Amino acid sequence: MNTQKPTLVHLIAWMTLASGIINLFWGIAATFNMLVTILGAICVPFTILPTILGIFELIYAAKLFSNPAQPVKPSTNLAIFEIACVLIGNIFSMVVGILALVFYNDLAVKEYFARLNEVPAPTTPTPPASSSDLSPAPVMEESPLPPAEQSPTPQPTPAKPKQTPRKVAKK
């Protein structure tokens, strides 16, 4: 199985690794800073989220770096959460998330993940074959009734008569 990694997959892996490390430090630093105040202690769950995202990013990057390659799908969810990190002030993760989404749409990257997961590569849709190509011609059976008595031909339905406009009575 040819699973040569394209350059963009290597780039995604390195960016995800860097973003994971930065999110870990960012989340830990933000958590310690928030614990200083009473109001900050209430907001700690929001600062823990980048830490958890950083852990998931490190795991995903490790799967992309593994040799032999592990079956893994493009993680658009991680990229979206990286973009959402701008809400806590992490611009670097936002840029990594946007670039990851752009790189996931590259044809070479799509083909790599399809080969890796043994899924047919995305192709352009082909028109369906006609039914005459797929099945043999139907066999006609003879009816015991003569052709005139088999079934009457359907009569066309008459068209609706045109409606004439109503006349309004004058007072």
Side-chain angles (χ1 to χ4, degrees):
M1 176 168 85
N2 182 14
T3 56
Q4 182 65 28
K5 291 181 188 172
T7 306
L8 291 179
V9 173
H10 283 289
L11 193 57
I12 291 169
W14 282 108
M15 288 186 325
T16 304
L17 178 68
S19 178
I21 292 169
I22 288 175
N23 274 332
L24 271 176
F25 288 128
W26 191 278
I28 291 170
T31 301
F32 286 134
N33 285 335
M34 289 289 184
L35 288 175
V36 176
T37 64
I38 301 291
L39 182 62
I42 296 170
C43 297
V44 166
F46 295 111
T47 62
I48 293 174
L49 295 176
T51 308
I52 295 170
L53 176 62
I55 293 169
F56 281 116
E57 286 174 322
L58 292 176
I59 293 170
Y60 184 73
K63 287 181 181 180
L64 287 178
F65 280 126
S66 68
N67 193 10
Q70 292 182 4
V72 64
K73 294 182 180 179
S75 183
T76 55
N77 291 336
L78 275 180
I80 291 169
F81 282 122
E82 288 170 346
I83 294 170
C85 278
V86 76
L87 297 174
I88 58 164
N90 193 346
I91 303 296
F92 178 75
S93 282
M94 180 194 71
V95 172
V96 168
I98 292 170
L99 288 175
L101 286 177
V102 170
F103 293 160
Y104 286 143
N105 286 325
D106 187 69
L107 187 59
V109 174
K110 284 182 180 180
E111 289 175 355
Y112 169 74
F113 281 114
R115 278 193 322 263
L116 190 62
N117 296 313
E118 296 178 5
V119 175
T123 58
T124 57
T126 57
S130 66
S131 61
S132 63
D133 296 341
L134 299 177
S135 62
V139 177
M140 299 288 288
E141 294 183 15
E142 289 194 29
S143 174
L145 299 174
E149 296 176 7
Q150 283 184 5
S151 63
T153 57
Q155 298 294 327
T157 57
K160 287 186 176 180
K162 292 184 179 180
Q163 293 182 354
T164 57
R166 291 185 180 179
K167 294 182 181 180
V168 179
K170 294 183 182 180
K171 291 186 182 181

